[in-house]
Amino acid sequence: MECTNRLLKRGEWKINQTFNNLDIEKQERIINAALLEFAENGFEKASTNRIVKSAGIGKGMLFYYFKNKKELYLYLVEYSLDIILKEFIGKIDTNETDFIERLRQIAKIKFENNQRYPSVLSFLGNIFIQEEWEVSENLKQRYEEMMNIRHSILYDNVDTSIFRSDVDTEKAYKLIKWSIEGYQNELINQFKEKNLATTNMDPYWDEFYDYLEVLKTIFYKKEEGTE
C-alpha cells in the first residue's frame, strides 16, 4: 500500500548503531521490557531500573544504546508505529470482501504477532488515545494516518450485499468485531505463559472458525439451496 510505505519512510529517530548491531533476540528483549514498563506506568513513572532488570542487562548498557529515557521512549514510539504498519496492517489482504473473513485474517495476524510484540498496542494507546505524554506533531500525524489506514482496511471494499436485509449493517459490523476481538483476547490471555512454538493451535483455530460460521449464520443471508 502506497500510504503505508510513505509512513514507514518518515522516521525521526536514528538507531544507535551499537544497538542495531545486537542480535535480534537481545534487541527484542530490551524493546519489549521497555514497552511493557512504559505501557504500564507511563513516561514519568517508568523505571529504567525495572527495564534493565527485566531485559537482563546492565543499566550502563541501556544508556550506551540510548542517551536517556526520553530518547528510548521516542525510539519506541517510532518502532511501534513501524511494527503496526509492517507486521499487522501491511499483511492484511484487502481483496477479501467478506467482512467476517477479513476480520478472521486480522485476528490471526494479531494473535501470531502478540508473542513477539506483546506491548506495542497498549504502549501506543497510552500515548495517543489517553494522551499520556507529549509527542511531536509529526508523530501524531503518523498515528492519525495509520488509524485512517486501519479504518480503510476494516471497511473499504466490503461486500454489504451478503448481509441480511433486516440487519443494520453498521451495528452488525460492531457486533462481529466485538465478538472476534473478545475471543482473540481470551486466547491471548490464555497463552500468555505458554510457548506457542510447542503448542498445537489447530484445535483453537478450529473452534474459532466454528464461531465465525455462527456469526455468518446470524448476520449473512442464507446461501441458495440451504434452509
Side-chain angles (χ1 to χ4, degrees):
M1 297 173 64
E2 183 180 346
C3 49
T4 301
N5 292 333
R6 185 180 70 250
L7 285 175
L8 286 170
K9 294 177 181 178
R10 285 169 38 191
E12 292 182 336
W13 47 266
K14 300 291 183 183
I15 300 177
N16 183 301
Q17 192 59 43
T18 306
F19 183 74
N20 196 37
N21 288 337
L22 289 174
D23 65 84
I24 296 300
E25 187 276 332
K26 190 170 184 179
Q27 283 187 46
E28 291 184 352
R29 196 169 70 243
I30 295 169
I31 288 169
N32 286 334
L35 283 171
L36 180 61
E37 179 64 22
F38 284 121
E40 291 185 342
N41 299 291
F43 178 78
E44 296 296 337
K45 295 181 180 179
S47 166
T48 52
N49 289 329
R50 287 193 293 264
I51 292 172
V52 297
K53 182 179 180 180
S54 177
I57 63 169
K59 193 168 185 178
M61 291 306 297
L62 180 67
F63 290 117
Y64 179 61
Y65 305 137
F66 304 96
K67 289 187 298 185
N68 49 46
K69 188 166 77 167
K70 179 180 178 180
E71 183 177 284
L72 170 62
Y73 188 83
L74 291 176
Y75 165 79
L76 292 174
V77 176
E78 288 274 9
Y79 170 87
S80 298
L81 287 171
D82 287 352
I83 288 299
I84 295 296
L85 287 165
K86 289 188 291 187
E87 302 297 334
F88 291 82
I89 291 176
K91 292 184 176 180
I92 297 165
D93 179 13
T94 53
N95 291 319
E96 175 58 71
T97 60
D98 184 314
F99 183 67
I100 291 177
E101 287 301 315
R102 190 178 295 186
L103 284 181
R104 177 194 63 78
Q105 59 169 305
I106 291 172
K108 192 161 187 178
I109 290 168
K110 183 178 177 182
F111 180 81
E112 290 174 347
N113 279 286
N114 189 71
Q115 287 291 106
R116 188 173 180 185
Y117 312 107
S119 301
V120 164
L121 294 175
S122 56
F123 172 75
L124 286 179
N126 285 345
I127 299 169
F128 294 102
I129 297 174
Q130 301 178 18
E131 298 184 350
E132 187 274 335
W133 195 69
E134 186 66 26
V135 294
S136 70
E137 287 303 316
N138 182 47
L139 287 178
K140 288 181 180 178
Q141 184 179 356
R142 285 191 73 207
Y143 179 77
E144 290 170 1
E145 290 181 22
M146 183 192 73
M147 293 304 290
N148 289 334
I149 294 171
R150 179 178 178 273
H151 185 274
S152 296
I153 283 173
L154 277 176
Y155 302 109
D156 285 2
N157 196 37
V158 168
D159 182 6
T160 57
S161 70
I162 62 178
F163 284 86
R164 285 169 36 193
S165 58
D166 59 340
V167 167
D168 184 315
T169 306
E170 292 301 319
K171 288 185 172 63
Y173 282 158
K174 291 181 179 180
L175 288 170
I176 293 168
K177 186 168 174 286
W178 292 338
S179 298
I180 292 176
E181 287 178 348
Y183 182 79
Q184 167 191 288
N185 290 333
E186 182 180 312
L187 277 185
I188 288 172
N189 289 329
Q190 187 174 348
F191 289 103
K192 271 184 178 177
E193 306 301 325
K194 293 186 178 182
N195 182 356
L196 291 186
T198 59
T199 302
N200 180 12
M201 294 300 299
D202 290 344
Y204 298 96
W205 287 118
D206 288 342
E207 181 182 42
F208 179 51
Y209 298 150
D210 286 342
Y211 286 135
L212 296 187
E213 291 304 314
V214 172
L215 289 173
K216 289 181 180 182
T217 300
I218 295 171
F219 294 105
Y220 285 1
K221 294 174 181 175
K222 292 181 180 180
E223 296 181 6
E224 292 185 10
T226 63
E227 295 184 0

